[in-house]
Amino acid sequence: MSSRTSESDQELIEKLEIFKIQGRDKRGRNILRIVGKFFPARIVSVEALRKYLEEKIFPKLERKPFAVVYVHTDVQRSENFPGISALRSVYDEIPVSVRENLEAVYFLHPGLQARLFLATFGRLMFSGGLYGKLRYVSRVDYLWDHVRRSEIEIPDFVYDHDEDLEYRPMMDYGLESDHARVYGAPTVVDSPVPMYSMRCIS
């Protein structure tokens, strides 16, 4: 960590497109799309994350209501989760105007651990009624009930996870390990994060 600078960390966040303001939901609100799997928690500092959000994201969300689409698909605690204290410190830095404009959080592919965490710590960590704005979405198809599908990009691995759930529905409840599929076709090694292709369905 010491060999990296806050500036280089912010450049990495930008390159990976972890946070992207893109599209609108069915109520016409702008969307902040967040892809949890893209966040390299073991590399990027919390300070760099705060600065990036403060300079690149928050100024674009201060003027009118918006919604968040958080993609939790394939998130690994050891690789993508910055820690409870880090999350709280980032949340505390969100300007009041941005908090007030946030009207909905669509949480795609929540696992059992994520649900339990939010049900216990979420109510304590997040003030301003944020927990009450949370909407769990178990399938991509259900997301389109709330979001305009032609205006937002969803990574291919998210659709692949949906297919896994059709074959192994217990994964919805965290009762089955999310190992590579062994049916149908041979396993393909994932490409690096920046190389994930996107599907934008019209």
PDB file of all heavy atoms in Angstrom, residues 16-22 31-35 38 67-71 152-155 198:
ATOM      1  N   LEU A  16     -11.448   1.171 -13.648  1.00  0.00           N
ATOM      2  CA  LEU A  16     -12.263  -0.029 -13.445  1.00  0.00           C
ATOM      3  C   LEU A  16     -13.757   0.240 -13.555  1.00  0.00           C
ATOM      4  O   LEU A  16     -14.557  -0.700 -13.576  1.00  0.00           O
ATOM      5  CB  LEU A  16     -11.947  -0.637 -12.078  1.00  0.00           C
ATOM      6  CG  LEU A  16     -10.525  -1.175 -11.883  1.00  0.00           C
ATOM      7  CD1 LEU A  16     -10.347  -1.721 -10.478  1.00  0.00           C
ATOM      8  CD2 LEU A  16     -10.205  -2.243 -12.911  1.00  0.00           C
ATOM      9  N   GLU A  17     -14.156   1.509 -13.582  1.00  0.00           N
ATOM     10  CA  GLU A  17     -15.569   1.889 -13.690  1.00  0.00           C
ATOM     11  C   GLU A  17     -16.406   1.241 -12.582  1.00  0.00           C
ATOM     12  O   GLU A  17     -17.488   0.703 -12.824  1.00  0.00           O
ATOM     13  CB  GLU A  17     -16.131   1.543 -15.064  1.00  0.00           C
ATOM     14  CG  GLU A  17     -15.486   2.340 -16.194  1.00  0.00           C
ATOM     15  CD  GLU A  17     -16.191   2.149 -17.519  1.00  0.00           C
ATOM     16  OE1 GLU A  17     -16.802   1.080 -17.729  1.00  0.00           O
ATOM     17  OE2 GLU A  17     -16.153   3.076 -18.349  1.00  0.00           O
ATOM     18  N   ILE A  18     -15.889   1.302 -11.365  1.00  0.00           N
ATOM     19  CA  ILE A  18     -16.619   0.777 -10.217  1.00  0.00           C
ATOM     20  C   ILE A  18     -17.893   1.592  -9.995  1.00  0.00           C
ATOM     21  O   ILE A  18     -18.962   1.046  -9.736  1.00  0.00           O
ATOM     22  CB  ILE A  18     -15.737   0.830  -8.957  1.00  0.00           C
ATOM     23  CG1 ILE A  18     -14.433   0.066  -9.198  1.00  0.00           C
ATOM     24  CG2 ILE A  18     -16.484   0.282  -7.747  1.00  0.00           C
ATOM     25  CD1 ILE A  18     -13.337   0.400  -8.216  1.00  0.00           C
ATOM     26  N   PHE A  19     -17.757   2.903 -10.104  1.00  0.00           N
ATOM     27  CA  PHE A  19     -18.877   3.828  -9.962  1.00  0.00           C
ATOM     28  C   PHE A  19     -19.145   4.486 -11.309  1.00  0.00           C
ATOM     29  O   PHE A  19     -18.231   5.018 -11.936  1.00  0.00           O
ATOM     30  CB  PHE A  19     -18.552   4.906  -8.925  1.00  0.00           C
ATOM     31  CG  PHE A  19     -18.146   4.367  -7.588  1.00  0.00           C
ATOM     32  CD1 PHE A  19     -16.812   4.122  -7.291  1.00  0.00           C
ATOM     33  CD2 PHE A  19     -19.097   4.104  -6.616  1.00  0.00           C
ATOM     34  CE1 PHE A  19     -16.423   3.624  -6.061  1.00  0.00           C
ATOM     35  CE2 PHE A  19     -18.721   3.603  -5.375  1.00  0.00           C
ATOM     36  CZ  PHE A  19     -17.387   3.359  -5.102  1.00  0.00           C
ATOM     37  N   LYS A  20     -20.399   4.443 -11.732  1.00  0.00           N
ATOM     38  CA  LYS A  20     -20.729   5.035 -13.026  1.00  0.00           C
ATOM     39  C   LYS A  20     -22.153   5.591 -12.984  1.00  0.00           C
ATOM     40  O   LYS A  20     -23.101   4.864 -12.654  1.00  0.00           O
ATOM     41  CB  LYS A  20     -20.607   3.986 -14.136  1.00  0.00           C
ATOM     42  CG  LYS A  20     -20.652   4.550 -15.540  1.00  0.00           C
ATOM     43  CD  LYS A  20     -20.297   3.472 -16.558  1.00  0.00           C
ATOM     44  CE  LYS A  20     -20.204   4.049 -17.960  1.00  0.00           C
ATOM     45  NZ  LYS A  20     -19.824   3.013 -18.947  1.00  0.00           N
ATOM     46  N   ILE A  21     -22.294   6.858 -13.290  1.00  0.00           N
ATOM     47  CA  ILE A  21     -23.622   7.461 -13.380  1.00  0.00           C
ATOM     48  C   ILE A  21     -24.145   7.201 -14.779  1.00  0.00           C
ATOM     49  O   ILE A  21     -23.595   7.688 -15.768  1.00  0.00           O
ATOM     50  CB  ILE A  21     -23.569   8.967 -13.067  1.00  0.00           C
ATOM     51  CG1 ILE A  21     -23.072   9.176 -11.629  1.00  0.00           C
ATOM     52  CG2 ILE A  21     -24.946   9.603 -13.261  1.00  0.00           C
ATOM     53  CD1 ILE A  21     -22.875  10.621 -11.258  1.00  0.00           C
ATOM     54  N   GLN A  22     -25.196   6.414 -14.845  1.00  0.00           N
ATOM     55  CA  GLN A  22     -25.641   5.926 -16.155  1.00  0.00           C
ATOM     56  C   GLN A  22     -27.108   5.538 -16.113  1.00  0.00           C
ATOM     57  O   GLN A  22     -27.535   4.779 -15.254  1.00  0.00           O
ATOM     58  CB  GLN A  22     -24.802   4.702 -16.544  1.00  0.00           C
ATOM     59  CG  GLN A  22     -25.140   4.093 -17.881  1.00  0.00           C
ATOM     60  CD  GLN A  22     -24.359   2.809 -18.108  1.00  0.00           C
ATOM     61  OE1 GLN A  22     -24.530   1.834 -17.402  1.00  0.00           O
ATOM     62  NE2 GLN A  22     -23.474   2.819 -19.086  1.00  0.00           N
ATOM     63  N   ILE A  31     -29.234   7.199 -12.296  1.00  0.00           N
ATOM     64  CA  ILE A  31     -28.755   6.023 -11.582  1.00  0.00           C
ATOM     65  C   ILE A  31     -27.248   6.087 -11.384  1.00  0.00           C
ATOM     66  O   ILE A  31     -26.503   6.374 -12.321  1.00  0.00           O
ATOM     67  CB  ILE A  31     -29.113   4.729 -12.346  1.00  0.00           C
ATOM     68  CG1 ILE A  31     -30.618   4.486 -12.291  1.00  0.00           C
ATOM     69  CG2 ILE A  31     -28.360   3.524 -11.776  1.00  0.00           C
ATOM     70  CD1 ILE A  31     -31.073   3.317 -13.134  1.00  0.00           C
ATOM     71  N   LEU A  32     -26.826   5.807 -10.163  1.00  0.00           N
ATOM     72  CA  LEU A  32     -25.417   5.567  -9.872  1.00  0.00           C
ATOM     73  C   LEU A  32     -25.246   4.056  -9.806  1.00  0.00           C
ATOM     74  O   LEU A  32     -25.745   3.405  -8.891  1.00  0.00           O
ATOM     75  CB  LEU A  32     -25.012   6.201  -8.540  1.00  0.00           C
ATOM     76  CG  LEU A  32     -23.621   5.809  -8.007  1.00  0.00           C
ATOM     77  CD1 LEU A  32     -22.521   6.209  -8.982  1.00  0.00           C
ATOM     78  CD2 LEU A  32     -23.375   6.425  -6.638  1.00  0.00           C
ATOM     79  N   ARG A  33     -24.560   3.490 -10.809  1.00  0.00           N
ATOM     80  CA  ARG A  33     -24.320   2.046 -10.827  1.00  0.00           C
ATOM     81  C   ARG A  33     -22.997   1.754 -10.123  1.00  0.00           C
ATOM     82  O   ARG A  33     -21.976   2.365 -10.419  1.00  0.00           O
ATOM     83  CB  ARG A  33     -24.251   1.535 -12.270  1.00  0.00           C
ATOM     84  CG  ARG A  33     -24.223   0.016 -12.391  1.00  0.00           C
ATOM     85  CD  ARG A  33     -23.540  -0.416 -13.663  1.00  0.00           C
ATOM     86  NE  ARG A  33     -22.113  -0.091 -13.645  1.00  0.00           N
ATOM     87  CZ  ARG A  33     -21.278  -0.332 -14.668  1.00  0.00           C
ATOM     88  NH1 ARG A  33     -21.731  -0.861 -15.771  1.00  0.00           N
ATOM     89  NH2 ARG A  33     -20.003  -0.004 -14.572  1.00  0.00           N
ATOM     90  N   ILE A  34     -23.021   0.812  -9.179  1.00  0.00           N
ATOM     91  CA  ILE A  34     -21.829   0.406  -8.443  1.00  0.00           C
ATOM     92  C   ILE A  34     -21.656  -1.104  -8.621  1.00  0.00           C
ATOM     93  O   ILE A  34     -22.582  -1.866  -8.325  1.00  0.00           O
ATOM     94  CB  ILE A  34     -21.949   0.733  -6.945  1.00  0.00           C
ATOM     95  CG1 ILE A  34     -22.260   2.217  -6.729  1.00  0.00           C
ATOM     96  CG2 ILE A  34     -20.671   0.344  -6.209  1.00  0.00           C
ATOM     97  CD1 ILE A  34     -22.567   2.586  -5.285  1.00  0.00           C
ATOM     98  N   VAL A  35     -20.495  -1.528  -9.098  1.00  0.00           N
ATOM     99  CA  VAL A  35     -20.213  -2.954  -9.272  1.00  0.00           C
ATOM    100  C   VAL A  35     -19.219  -3.376  -8.189  1.00  0.00           C
ATOM    101  O   VAL A  35     -18.034  -3.039  -8.245  1.00  0.00           O
ATOM    102  CB  VAL A  35     -19.648  -3.258 -10.666  1.00  0.00           C
ATOM    103  CG1 VAL A  35     -19.408  -4.760 -10.836  1.00  0.00           C
ATOM    104  CG2 VAL A  35     -20.605  -2.765 -11.756  1.00  0.00           C
ATOM    105  N   PHE A  38     -15.808  -5.200  -8.872  1.00  0.00           N
ATOM    106  CA  PHE A  38     -14.730  -4.428  -9.494  1.00  0.00           C
ATOM    107  C   PHE A  38     -13.856  -3.702  -8.478  1.00  0.00           C
ATOM    108  O   PHE A  38     -12.785  -3.206  -8.827  1.00  0.00           O
ATOM    109  CB  PHE A  38     -15.323  -3.381 -10.454  1.00  0.00           C
ATOM    110  CG  PHE A  38     -15.885  -3.954 -11.727  1.00  0.00           C
ATOM    111  CD1 PHE A  38     -16.506  -3.117 -12.642  1.00  0.00           C
ATOM    112  CD2 PHE A  38     -15.803  -5.293 -12.015  1.00  0.00           C
ATOM    113  CE1 PHE A  38     -17.026  -3.624 -13.831  1.00  0.00           C
ATOM    114  CE2 PHE A  38     -16.327  -5.811 -13.195  1.00  0.00           C
ATOM    115  CZ  PHE A  38     -16.945  -4.974 -14.106  1.00  0.00           C
ATOM    116  N   ALA A  67     -31.104   7.286  -7.870  1.00  0.00           N
ATOM    117  CA  ALA A  67     -31.169   5.945  -7.295  1.00  0.00           C
ATOM    118  C   ALA A  67     -29.827   5.256  -7.502  1.00  0.00           C
ATOM    119  O   ALA A  67     -29.053   5.625  -8.383  1.00  0.00           O
ATOM    120  CB  ALA A  67     -32.283   5.129  -7.947  1.00  0.00           C
ATOM    121  N   VAL A  68     -29.554   4.264  -6.679  1.00  0.00           N
ATOM    122  CA  VAL A  68     -28.332   3.475  -6.793  1.00  0.00           C
ATOM    123  C   VAL A  68     -28.693   2.060  -7.221  1.00  0.00           C
ATOM    124  O   VAL A  68     -29.639   1.465  -6.694  1.00  0.00           O
ATOM    125  CB  VAL A  68     -27.563   3.426  -5.455  1.00  0.00           C
ATOM    126  CG1 VAL A  68     -26.468   2.354  -5.493  1.00  0.00           C
ATOM    127  CG2 VAL A  68     -26.956   4.787  -5.140  1.00  0.00           C
ATOM    128  N   VAL A  69     -27.958   1.531  -8.194  1.00  0.00           N
ATOM    129  CA  VAL A  69     -28.013   0.105  -8.514  1.00  0.00           C
ATOM    130  C   VAL A  69     -26.684  -0.480  -8.057  1.00  0.00           C
ATOM    131  O   VAL A  69     -25.639  -0.190  -8.639  1.00  0.00           O
ATOM    132  CB  VAL A  69     -28.224  -0.149 -10.019  1.00  0.00           C
ATOM    133  CG1 VAL A  69     -28.030  -1.642 -10.331  1.00  0.00           C
ATOM    134  CG2 VAL A  69     -29.612   0.293 -10.446  1.00  0.00           C
ATOM    135  N   TYR A  70     -26.734  -1.249  -6.982  1.00  0.00           N
ATOM    136  CA  TYR A  70     -25.519  -1.876  -6.471  1.00  0.00           C
ATOM    137  C   TYR A  70     -25.501  -3.339  -6.891  1.00  0.00           C
ATOM    138  O   TYR A  70     -26.392  -4.112  -6.528  1.00  0.00           O
ATOM    139  CB  TYR A  70     -25.437  -1.780  -4.948  1.00  0.00           C
ATOM    140  CG  TYR A  70     -24.320  -2.627  -4.384  1.00  0.00           C
ATOM    141  CD1 TYR A  70     -22.991  -2.335  -4.682  1.00  0.00           C
ATOM    142  CD2 TYR A  70     -24.587  -3.741  -3.603  1.00  0.00           C
ATOM    143  CE1 TYR A  70     -21.962  -3.125  -4.199  1.00  0.00           C
ATOM    144  CE2 TYR A  70     -23.567  -4.537  -3.108  1.00  0.00           C
ATOM    145  CZ  TYR A  70     -22.255  -4.218  -3.414  1.00  0.00           C
ATOM    146  OH  TYR A  70     -21.232  -5.014  -2.955  1.00  0.00           O
ATOM    147  N   VAL A  71     -24.492  -3.722  -7.657  1.00  0.00           N
ATOM    148  CA  VAL A  71     -24.355  -5.086  -8.153  1.00  0.00           C
ATOM    149  C   VAL A  71     -23.444  -5.863  -7.198  1.00  0.00           C
ATOM    150  O   VAL A  71     -22.233  -5.630  -7.158  1.00  0.00           O
ATOM    151  CB  VAL A  71     -23.775  -5.096  -9.585  1.00  0.00           C
ATOM    152  CG1 VAL A  71     -23.665  -6.527 -10.110  1.00  0.00           C
ATOM    153  CG2 VAL A  71     -24.643  -4.252 -10.526  1.00  0.00           C
ATOM    154  N   ILE A 152     -28.673   1.184 -19.126  1.00  0.00           N
ATOM    155  CA  ILE A 152     -27.660   0.819 -18.137  1.00  0.00           C
ATOM    156  C   ILE A 152     -26.927  -0.441 -18.583  1.00  0.00           C
ATOM    157  O   ILE A 152     -27.536  -1.351 -19.152  1.00  0.00           O
ATOM    158  CB  ILE A 152     -28.305   0.607 -16.745  1.00  0.00           C
ATOM    159  CG1 ILE A 152     -27.220   0.375 -15.677  1.00  0.00           C
ATOM    160  CG2 ILE A 152     -29.297  -0.529 -16.766  1.00  0.00           C
ATOM    161  CD1 ILE A 152     -27.765   0.366 -14.257  1.00  0.00           C
ATOM    162  N   GLU A 153     -25.628  -0.476 -18.355  1.00  0.00           N
ATOM    163  CA  GLU A 153     -24.813  -1.622 -18.724  1.00  0.00           C
ATOM    164  C   GLU A 153     -24.647  -2.549 -17.526  1.00  0.00           C
ATOM    165  O   GLU A 153     -24.297  -2.109 -16.429  1.00  0.00           O
ATOM    166  CB  GLU A 153     -23.433  -1.164 -19.206  1.00  0.00           C
ATOM    167  CG  GLU A 153     -23.477  -0.350 -20.499  1.00  0.00           C
ATOM    168  CD  GLU A 153     -22.121   0.250 -20.835  1.00  0.00           C
ATOM    169  OE1 GLU A 153     -21.284   0.381 -19.918  1.00  0.00           O
ATOM    170  OE2 GLU A 153     -21.898   0.584 -22.005  1.00  0.00           O
ATOM    171  N   ILE A 154     -24.880  -3.830 -17.769  1.00  0.00           N
ATOM    172  CA  ILE A 154     -24.701  -4.853 -16.735  1.00  0.00           C
ATOM    173  C   ILE A 154     -23.630  -5.830 -17.227  1.00  0.00           C
ATOM    174  O   ILE A 154     -23.727  -6.349 -18.344  1.00  0.00           O
ATOM    175  CB  ILE A 154     -26.015  -5.608 -16.471  1.00  0.00           C
ATOM    176  CG1 ILE A 154     -27.103  -4.635 -15.975  1.00  0.00           C
ATOM    177  CG2 ILE A 154     -25.795  -6.729 -15.466  1.00  0.00           C
ATOM    178  CD1 ILE A 154     -26.821  -4.010 -14.625  1.00  0.00           C
ATOM    179  N   PRO A 155     -22.590  -6.097 -16.438  1.00  0.00           N
ATOM    180  CA  PRO A 155     -21.521  -7.006 -16.876  1.00  0.00           C
ATOM    181  C   PRO A 155     -22.034  -8.407 -17.185  1.00  0.00           C
ATOM    182  O   PRO A 155     -22.997  -8.884 -16.589  1.00  0.00           O
ATOM    183  CB  PRO A 155     -20.562  -7.022 -15.679  1.00  0.00           C
ATOM    184  CG  PRO A 155     -20.850  -5.766 -14.929  1.00  0.00           C
ATOM    185  CD  PRO A 155     -22.320  -5.524 -15.113  1.00  0.00           C
ATOM    186  N   MET A 198     -19.618  -5.924 -21.713  1.00  0.00           N
ATOM    187  CA  MET A 198     -20.882  -5.459 -21.167  1.00  0.00           C
ATOM    188  C   MET A 198     -21.993  -5.780 -22.159  1.00  0.00           C
ATOM    189  O   MET A 198     -21.804  -5.781 -23.361  1.00  0.00           O
ATOM    190  CB  MET A 198     -20.857  -3.937 -20.940  1.00  0.00           C
ATOM    191  CG  MET A 198     -19.793  -3.468 -19.963  1.00  0.00           C
ATOM    192  SD  MET A 198     -20.253  -3.855 -18.276  1.00  0.00           S
ATOM    193  CE  MET A 198     -18.952  -2.975 -17.409  1.00  0.00           C
TER     194      MET A 198
END
